Each structure stands twice: as structure tokens, then as C-alpha cells.
Amino acid sequence: QDSSMVLRAHIDHCKLKGADIDMKRHEVNLLNGELNGGHIEYTSYPYRSKPGEPDTAQSKPWRVNALRLHISDIDYTMRMLPLIDKMKVHIGDARLVDGKFDTGECTVNARSLTVDSLNCDYLAMTEHDAAIYSRLHPVPPDTTTSKPWKVDADTIDVKHLNYNMTMLPTIDK
């Protein structure tokens, strides 16, 4: 946790086999991993960042290579005002085979990605409310560059995907 973001995780069951973590090279190699049950929460407070202050804890890109990864019954919540009021995702069951994640390149490459159950609820502010929020909580200019994430897989199999986007009621004008 720092002044402008909070990341919390509670995982009921985590099993990693053949895990090798190289902190110096920012690389994780995993033969077989399981995450079952739990909640991950990410909240961003960009208006708390101070312009011109060097970020000594700035993260470096990580590469994760996983031969097999199974995720089930995980809830993820994200808040990034004013862009995302709240996004809630429930991963019922997802499996990755021979996958590579690169947070610097914003890529996921896999031989197989199977999602058997995923629910996503996205609550968004109206443009009017986002403008009000931005006036009340000015954010320093973003000097970072980021790319959209790209997912490539030889096989992608998705079943039972539910996505709902709701525009929140506007604040009285």
C-alpha cells in the first residue's frame, strides 16, 4: 500500500509446484499452480499522488511463465475513480496451459485458455459526474505510457460469461 493505491488479497487455498521466483530479473516460473477461493481488491486514489515527487517504489515489469494454472471461486474488485466506479469480477473456474504473462508488454500468450464461468459487473459514472469528481479530486498529469492488454492463445474456450455494464444515476445538477 502507498498513498495512491491499495492492493489487498485474501486467498483461501494456494498451491504452487515447481515455483521459481527471480526477484532481481522480475520473473516467475511455475510448473503447476492452483488458487481456490478468496478475494482480491485493488483501489486507486490518483488524486493523492504528488506531482514531481520521484516514485522510488515504482514497479518494474514482471514476466510470469506458467505451465499450468487453475483459478477457481475468486472475486476481484477494482475501483479507479473517475474511470471505473466499481468493477466486480467472479472467476468460477479458469485454466491456463503453457502461458506467458508480460506486464511490461501487456501480453498474455498461451497454448490454451479455458474459462468455464466468469461474471463481471461494471459500474460507470456518467461523463457529467466524472467531470464533477475530477474537479473535486484533481489528478496530476499522467506521465506513464500504457498499452491495451493483448491475449493470444492457440485455443480459447469460454462458457458461461456474463458481463453487465451499468451507468450510475447522475448527481443532481
Side-chain angles (χ1 to χ4, degrees), residues 112-158:
S112 171
L113 176 60
T114 304
V115 178
D116 189 38
S117 175
L118 187 123
N119 294 307
C120 179
D121 291 308
Y122 179 20
L123 303 175
M125 287 184 158
T126 64
E127 190 175 333
H128 169 74
D129 292 348
I132 291 172
Y133 183 89
S134 294
R135 274 198 314 274
L136 294 173
H137 302 285
V139 175
D142 187 359
T143 58
T144 63
T145 57
S146 63
K147 307 174 198 178
W149 277 82
K150 180 180 178 189
V151 178
D152 285 321
D154 294 339
T155 303
I156 297 178
D157 185 12
V158 179

Side-chain angles (χ1 to χ4, degrees), residues 24 26 56-63 103-104:
K24 188 174 182 179
H26 299 97
T56 57
Q58 185 175 7
S59 65
K60 300 211 178 347
W62 278 83
R63 287 181 311 283
T103 64

